[in-house]
Amino acid sequence: MSSTVRTPSGDRLGRLLNLVPYLLARPGILISEAAADLGVTDRQLREDLELLWVCGLPGYGPGDLIDMAIDGDHVTISHDAGMDKPLRLNPDEALALVVALRMLAETPGIGTRDAIERALAKIESAAGDLADAPVAVRLPANQKKLAAVRGAVDSGHALRLTYYTAARDETTDRVVDPMRMLMVGGFNYLEAWCRRAEATRLFRIDRIDGFTELDEPSAPPVEAVPHDVTGGVFRPGPELPLVTLRVGRGGRWITEYYPVEEVVKDSTEWLVTMRVTDLGWAQRFLTGQGRDVTVIGPPELLDRIRAQAATALDQYAAPTGLGADPVAGR
């Protein structure tokens, strides 16, 4: 079976349009180096080069087609057929990039602010009217809190936090040794060594109810290793509880919003398995989904939900204490 990863035709077209000017600027480049720069495999790039050989100007005769020399693992464009300029962003793409860069520039604690501002200036200058587009980028709420936490982290002191843990629906007090600030998935986090958990933890800024800067310095121990957040904050593993659901059309959004291990689809319902950090969180989340989601397992989660439902029904059946006639006694 072929190991080539197939990409959408639109992605390949964009890559092909950029490939000629890219190679023109780097004559004799290693195919492996070019593939790494373009985010494709060596085999995919070689297939792109084979396709370029039959591309060019109308007429498609000698001198009309793109030509190149492939010497072992090196490639050089010998005739560009007029495709010597990189693909330009369309207005929607340029505006989206401007908005994203402006948001990054507004984020406290970003260490590459100079590079961001240089890139933003270059794009706005090339985008013409978009430079004056009425787009004001502001991060959602928590700005003052974010700036205050950032200032405390910069001071190099330990912090006492009052923090809401959504997974357990509880608020706790803990002392932490700050390590860094970061943004993942649109949320700002404080990464710190938690003395209560004796482990490195990520604290979402909007869930910090309050904090006090202590006199003692921040001193994370040697075992305080930063999290790898390249794949997101939540990293499901086999040690976490596995939940199985049957979801209807109205509940399929769960498979897009949360990491899932497996989805078995049929025409009406999907069977979904997913890892969760805490069964208490799963109980609160799933009881609010209505008829579109049915919990299949694990048994402990089913028992929790049945007990919660029974308690709710008992509340409805309890006497009101107002007597048989609520008007009597007036």
Side-chain angles (χ1 to χ4, degrees):
M1 180 180 294
S2 171
S3 60
T4 301
V5 178
R6 299 296 176 185
T7 56
S9 58
D11 293 347
R12 191 180 191 192
L13 176 60
R15 190 170 67 246
L16 287 168
L17 291 172
N18 281 312
L19 185 54
V20 175
Y22 170 88
L23 294 175
L24 282 171
R26 301 164 179 82
I29 189 174
L30 278 169
I31 290 177
S32 58
E33 182 181 342
D37 285 348
L38 297 169
V40 297
T41 64
D42 288 14
R43 180 168 179 172
Q44 283 177 305
L45 183 56
R46 288 182 183 273
E47 290 180 353
D48 288 345
L49 294 174
E50 290 175 3
L51 181 57
L52 280 178
W53 246 316
V54 294
C55 296
L57 300 172
Y60 307 108
D64 297 325
L65 299 179
I66 295 170
D67 199 6
M68 69 191 77
I70 298 180
D71 180 13
D73 293 330
H74 298 261
V75 58
T76 300
I77 295 290
S78 54
H79 179 61
D80 59 44
M83 295 178 58
D84 56 349
K85 290 185 171 56
L87 183 66
R88 295 178 61 86
L89 296 173
N90 65 37
D92 289 342
E93 292 169 336
L95 184 58
L97 195 52
V98 166
V99 169
L101 288 171
R102 287 181 183 173
M103 185 178 77
L104 278 177
E106 287 283 329
T107 303
I110 293 295
T112 55
R113 188 179 302 276
D114 290 344
I116 293 169
E117 291 177 350
R118 287 197 303 271
L120 183 57
K122 185 178 294 186
I123 293 172
E124 287 181 334
S125 132
D129 293 341
L130 285 178
D132 300 319
V135 177
V137 177
R138 293 291 182 270
L139 294 178
N142 303 306
Q143 276 285 17
K144 292 183 179 178
K145 184 189 298 183
L146 178 62
V149 173
R150 178 65 194 179
V153 172
D154 288 343
S155 73
H157 291 158
L159 303 178
R160 184 181 300 278
L161 302 181
T162 301
Y163 187 73
Y164 171 69
T165 304
R168 296 189 296 275
D169 191 27
E170 66 177 7
T171 300
T172 57
D173 290 318
R174 58 187 79 202
V175 175
V176 302
D177 296 285
M179 296 164 58
R180 61 174 176 165
M181 302 281 290
L182 64 161
M183 175 182 279
V184 185
F187 294 100
N188 292 285
Y189 292 86
L190 164 66
E191 185 171 39
W193 175 263
C194 176
R195 298 183 187 178
R196 176 182 174 181
E198 296 186 342
T200 304
R201 291 288 184 264
L202 289 169
F203 300 98
R204 246 175 66 172
I205 298 299
D206 59 333
R207 292 178 180 168
I208 298 177
D209 292 336
F211 72 92
T212 303
E213 186 175 341
L214 304 180
D215 292 334
E216 58 185 292
S218 173
V222 292
E223 60 266 33
V225 179
H227 288 82
D228 177 7
V229 294
T230 53
V233 172
F234 179 56
R235 305 296 292 272
E239 75 281 359
L240 297 179
L242 184 65
V243 173
T244 304
L245 312 171
R246 184 178 292 116
V247 302
R249 293 183 182 276
R252 293 178 183 176
W253 63 271
I254 292 174
T255 63
E256 300 175 359
Y257 194 81
Y258 294 98
V260 297
E261 293 216 341
E262 185 180 16
V263 179
V264 179
K265 302 179 181 180
D266 63 27
S267 58
T268 55
E269 292 184 320
W270 293 0
L271 192 66
V272 177
T273 54
M274 58 189 294
R275 299 280 176 183
V276 298
T277 55
D278 184 84
L279 288 181
W281 174 88
Q283 174 189 345
R284 293 189 299 275
F285 171 67
L286 295 171
T287 51
Q289 301 309 312
R291 296 181 178 179
D292 283 319
V293 178
T294 302
V295 180
I296 306 300
E300 182 184 349
L301 179 57
L302 285 167
D303 292 342
R304 285 169 173 256
I305 293 175
R306 289 193 186 105
Q308 182 178 353
T311 301
L313 289 173
D314 289 343
Q315 293 295 324
Y316 280 107
T320 62
L322 296 177
D325 184 357
V327 182
R330 284 187 179 178

